[in-house]
Amino acid sequence: MVIGRRQRLESGDFGGKGNRMSRLYEVMFIVRPDAAEEDVDKLIAGYTTSVTNGGGVVKNVEKMGRRKLAYMVRKFNDGNYILMTVEAGGAVVAELERRLRVSEPVIKYITVRIDEEEKRLAKVKALRGTRRKLSAEPAAAPAPVAAATPAPVAAPAAVAAAPAAEAAEAAQATA
């Protein structure tokens, strides 16, 4: 029997690895500024249960407070920012985004996958750890200053006058 894409999504059969793959996402959403604090807490709790019922884990929820928006969104100039860090599969995140889209108090949202970025940062950190630090090594002893400096060069007039002075001294010594 051939199963369509929609039936596979609903049944959780994705083929290959199945639904075992979970990734790390940051979900930021903006709630209307006129929403009460209790309503925002209920909204967050609803999204958290939605993720956990789908088999995901909410790692962190951070209320960033009320901030001014860069541009007007649904006739609002500011909003309450909430950042959720979620570890879940794609289907769970798709369901969370659907809930955010149809929710009245949510005026804007964005989901970003961050697991690849964390892998890249861990790789760079490991690479930096293996490199030899030049600042930690003792500095080489500096060469003596007198030996490194060349002897002063005499002026050409003084060089030409030197043989004549030697000849005069020799003449005086013989006389």
Side-chain angles (χ1 to χ4, degrees), residues 55-86:
V57 178
V58 177
K59 298 264 186 188
N60 188 18
V61 176
E62 182 181 348
K63 290 183 184 177
M64 298 176 71
R66 187 173 179 157
R67 296 182 178 210
K68 185 167 175 53
L69 299 173
Y71 53 90
M72 190 177 285
V73 178
R74 294 190 191 173
K75 299 182 182 179
F76 293 108
N77 288 323
D78 53 352
N80 294 319
Y81 282 68
I82 291 103
L83 177 68
M84 292 176 63
T85 306
V86 176

Side-chain angles (χ1 to χ4, degrees), residues 7-175:
Q7 289 172 332
R8 282 187 302 214
L9 288 174
E10 290 171 356
S11 68
D13 177 28
F14 298 102
K17 294 181 181 178
N19 198 10
R20 293 178 292 175
M21 180 178 269
S22 65
R23 294 185 168 150
L24 200 58
Y25 296 92
E26 278 187 347
V27 181
M28 178 173 273
F29 56 97
I30 305 170
V31 180
R32 300 168 54 126
D34 57 356
E37 190 70 27
E38 307 86 45
D39 295 337
V40 173
D41 291 337
K42 287 180 187 176
L43 199 63
I44 292 170
Y47 295 144
T48 303
T49 57
S50 173
V51 169
T52 55
N53 289 343
V57 178
V58 177
K59 298 264 186 188
N60 188 18
V61 176
E62 182 181 348
K63 290 183 184 177
M64 298 176 71
R66 187 173 179 157
R67 296 182 178 210
K68 185 167 175 53
L69 299 173
Y71 53 90
M72 190 177 285
V73 178
R74 294 190 191 173
K75 299 182 182 179
F76 293 108
N77 288 323
D78 53 352
N80 294 319
Y81 282 68
I82 291 103
L83 177 68
M84 292 176 63
T85 306
V86 176
E87 185 175 353
V92 175
V93 174
E95 173 63 20
L96 179 62
E97 285 182 339
R98 186 193 69 77
R99 286 177 170 248
L100 288 166
R101 192 177 310 114
V102 299
S103 180
E104 169 67 28
V106 176
I107 58 175
K108 204 82 162 156
Y109 71 92
I110 187 169
T111 305
V112 179
R113 190 175 126 196
I114 60 171
D115 59 343
E116 293 295 324
E117 184 68 16
E118 286 186 348
K119 279 185 197 175
R120 188 185 68 79
L121 289 174
K123 186 176 179 181
V124 167
K125 194 173 189 179
L127 182 64
R128 285 184 182 163
T130 61
R131 288 187 182 163
R132 190 178 64 169
K133 293 183 179 177
L134 296 176
S135 62
E137 294 179 2
V145 176
T149 317
V153 177
V159 172
E166 288 175 7
E169 287 178 353
Q172 282 182 357
T174 56

